[in-house]
Amino acid sequence: MPKSTWVIDGPRGSAPTGVEAVFAGLLAEVLHIDRVSVDSHFFDDLGADSLVMAHFCARVRKRGNLPSVSMQDIYRHPTIRTLAAAVADVLPRSVKSSVAPAIEAPTPTSAREYVFCGALQALFFLAYSYVAVVAITAGYAWVAAGASAVQIGLRLVLASSAAFLAVCAVPIAVKWMLVGRWYPQQIRLWSLAYVRFWIVKTLIRSSPVVRMFIGTPVYLFYLRALGAKIGPGVVIFSRRAPVCTDMLTIGAGTVIRREAVFNGYRAQAGRIEIGPVTLGREVFVGERSVLDIHTSMGNGAQLGHASALHSGQTVPQGERWHGSPAQRTDVNYLRVPPARCGTLRRTVYSAVALLVVPLLYLPLMEGGASLATAAASWLVHALAPAAGALGALFIQAVILSLLLFFGLGLVGLLLQVAVPRVLKPFIKPDKVYPLYGFHDVVHRAIARLGSLKFFTFLFGDSSYIVPYLQWLGYQLSPVVQTGSNFGNEVMHSNPFLCSVSSGTMVADGLILMNDEVSSTSFRVSRVTIGPNNFLGNDVTYPAGGRTGDNVLLGTKAMVPLDGKIREGVGLLGAPCFEIPRTVERDTQFDHLRTGEALSRGLAAKNRYNLRTIGIFLLTRWMSLLLFAMLYLAAFELYNALFHVVSAVCFALSVVVAGVYFTLVARGLEALHPVRPAICSIYHPDFWSIERLWKLHPIHYLHAFDGTPFKNVLWRLMGVRMGKRVFDDGTHIPEPTLITIGDESVLNYRSKIQCHSQEDGTFKSDRTTIGAGCTIGVDALVHYGVTMGDGAMLAVDSFLMKGEDVPPRTRWAGNPAREM
């Protein structure tokens, strides 16, 4: 619309100021209307939504001579008049760019180094596989040479213990041989120094200590052996193992909760940057928090849940901070009283844990696998005695894979339902227990059995997730079945203390925090989510969350623990602020959520989801079949270069799994191509995208993090991937909607998500990441976003839908804004 046709209306009779007039004109352009009142509410009166207002913010930024406006400003000041007044003192972007420090130039990379790095990484993996095969072969021969069943059993225990200790010691030995001590430095991507860094990182993150001894003093001993400086009485529950351990200093009595990230490094602009993370005594780091390099916390300091310290931030002694980037607060996140938990208790617990794993867990696993292989071989001889060698191998692989996949699946489901019910009476809600005792063992057993992700992936995004969670112990009745009540990822500590009220829908990545912990104690409490809520992606909901009925919790929103009970509103950001509960665009399909329309749509969705579950089971079983065939082929070729063949087969099993699942996902996407859409959750376009989420090879792709091979797999899945992109563990749910420019950097646990789902409305659009961009650790980029070349998004930031990030700018925060 030509600028001369704008009509700017001011009902209060006062003439709009210059900035108000320009804002009103730009908003009229975006809304495609003639008249914009400077006192009209953006959402209630003008019918705008967050995507429209993001486009408005982008147009304001492009003018250059106007004060910069962020989405947080829009929500807090939802009229032209109040917005103009609020940002009146903000420098125009053209002025800010002239005084802001320049972004450090990217470190150049070369194609030759890129290829050479990939070759060295492949050679390392083959060499590691060969050494492992040699050791396993020698151990198997020694165990089989036992003279009696008792001697074979004893040898199995000894061999398992030795193998376990060796695998645990390898990362420590390799780290000290290849690196020595880490110190603050920059490593050029794809260089020889980066190859050493990648080897150490891969070995540490794949160590069984990280999986089996999290939250115990054994894990602290392991980190100390890797060079970390950790005081007595520290408790680390996070499964995200730090890599640059010499950069980590933790004072006595500090507690770090699950899902917290403190790597000691980050990737940025063509390089790995390594820096210190320093935590004082009695520090608390909350759930799903991120500590960037060059951050510190003083004695007795706290960092809240879903929060982040950006590089250079320091929390003073005794202060409490939360948000992203963190800021001071009065909320107390360490709410459980201490208990008596001395050195003797910790020592006994660690000793028992060390004995149980090699003496019981590993022999049972190895013995069970041997029995399954022997049973499969016996069945082959009984059912097909005349089969040739190749046919017998295939039949044996089919039988073995069926026994392992469906047998273990059924046993796992029964254990997940039965064992926590037996253990439930031993844990009383709201009672404080000391760590490292009987009640702690019970609590950990319930939490670990309840965290099996296979079944939430199997039933999630369908009607069948509701009865599954009820079987686990969730209180969900009365249920308003939508077919999408919960996504594929739902985590909890105690399923019997989870209550989700009627009419509530949950996207992926929900963590229900039933437990509160200190460095000496824990207690479990009920977590209750009110009726008619909607929870977006990656929400951490603690016990005592101050939300009630009819609340929308946006993606990565921090749930408040203080103040009034929020009802009938939306909450966004960290720390959170109020936004409209819903907008007109999200209500256009409400007629499909009730009555006969709901019955028809839900029935059709259930049929589609049931077929998706069948495809999920079939493709997962076939992957196990491929692995079994490679394993048995190596076993049959024992006398023909057994070690070399077995090492190649072991390495191929990882590569084949990654390629296989990538091709499965791409093949299914080709049958129903993903396109930008706005539709109901009862539309086939949405069901096909749900299918891709369930069949996404995310867990298999992580084996290739930090290698050139990851980019090859992304391209196979449909990502328009540039040259020499560095991917340290990002997640891309809709690959065909993504474009990523040359030499961009995608950090650990980052996500590029081209969709959102609010209540019953699904929206998706394309996202473009320019050349040389950086997406920080645990940062999330939403749909419809464009990042200009060289732009940077800081750790744990949330770049909202529709944002247009100018080239070579630095953005940070939740929601993100230009810094």
Side-chain angles (χ1 to χ4, degrees), residues 487-512:
N488 290 330
E489 295 185 60
V490 184
M491 292 176 279
H492 53 260
S493 297
N494 190 310
F496 306 106
L497 297 175
C498 295
S499 299
V500 181
S501 302
S502 179
T504 289
M505 297 175 64
V506 179
D508 280 339
L510 172 65
I511 298 179
L512 294 166

Side-chain angles (χ1 to χ4, degrees), residues 84 159 161 200 228 240 439 442 459 499-500 517 739 751 771:
S161 303
V200 173
R240 313 299 169 186
H439 296 94
V442 171
F459 298 118
S499 299
V500 181
V517 295
T739 300
K751 183 184 292 187

Side-chain angles (χ1 to χ4, degrees), residues 88 374 563 614 773:
C773 290

Side-chain angles (χ1 to χ4, degrees), residues 33-110:
I33 61 177
D34 296 334
R35 181 170 300 181
V36 173
S37 168
V38 294
D39 291 300
S40 293
H41 194 284
F42 298 143
F43 306 103
D44 298 341
D45 299 330
L46 299 176
D49 54 49
S50 55
L51 185 60
V52 168
M53 298 312 298
H55 293 160
F56 166 73
C57 293
R59 294 204 181 193
V60 171
R61 285 192 295 271
K62 288 179 180 178
R63 287 292 295 265
N65 59 345
L66 293 173
S68 181
V69 176
S70 69
M71 284 301 300
Q72 191 163 347
D73 297 327
I74 294 292
Y75 284 120
R76 288 180 171 171
H77 311 287
T79 69
I80 291 292
R81 193 180 299 277
T82 58
L83 178 65
V87 300
D89 296 329
V90 178
L91 289 174
R93 185 174 180 274
S94 58
V95 178
K96 287 198 298 182
S97 61
S98 66
V99 298
I103 294 178
E104 188 175 349
T107 301
T109 63
S110 71

Side-chain angles (χ1 to χ4, degrees), residues 203-342:
L203 290 176
I204 289 176
R205 286 185 174 164
S206 60
S207 171
V209 175
V210 177
R211 299 180 181 273
M212 297 180 180
F213 296 107
I214 287 295
T216 72
V218 177
Y219 183 51
L220 303 182
F221 175 80
Y222 181 72
L223 293 180
R224 292 187 186 108
L226 286 167
K229 296 173 279 293
I230 301 177
V234 171
V235 183
I236 301 177
F237 293 101
S238 175
R239 299 174 298 161
R240 313 299 169 186
V243 174
C244 300
T245 44
D246 300 285
M247 296 288 93
L248 182 63
T249 302
I250 304 178
T254 288
V255 57
I256 301 176
R257 283 195 60 99
R258 291 185 303 271
E259 302 302 318
V261 179
F262 48 108
N263 291 329
Y265 78 91
R266 67 181 181 188
Q268 182 168 295
R271 57 187 175 268
I272 298 293
E273 298 180 350
I274 298 173
V277 176
T278 304
L279 306 178
R281 299 187 306 274
E282 307 292 339
V283 167
F284 178 87
V285 178
E287 190 82 17
R288 223 177 212 157
S289 292
V290 182
L291 302 174
D292 201 357
I293 62 174
H294 302 295
T295 57
S296 63
M297 299 178 66
N299 297 337
Q302 296 181 22
L303 180 65
H305 310 305
S307 301
L309 289 182
H310 291 197
S311 184
Q313 284 194 292
T314 297
V315 182
Q317 177 176 333
E319 290 193 6
R320 305 164 186 167
W321 285 31
H322 70 185
S324 181
Q327 55 190 267
R328 188 170 181 176
T329 180
D330 294 326
V331 178
N332 182 18
Y333 286 93
L334 186 56
R335 303 189 298 173
V336 56
R340 295 184 61 184
C341 183

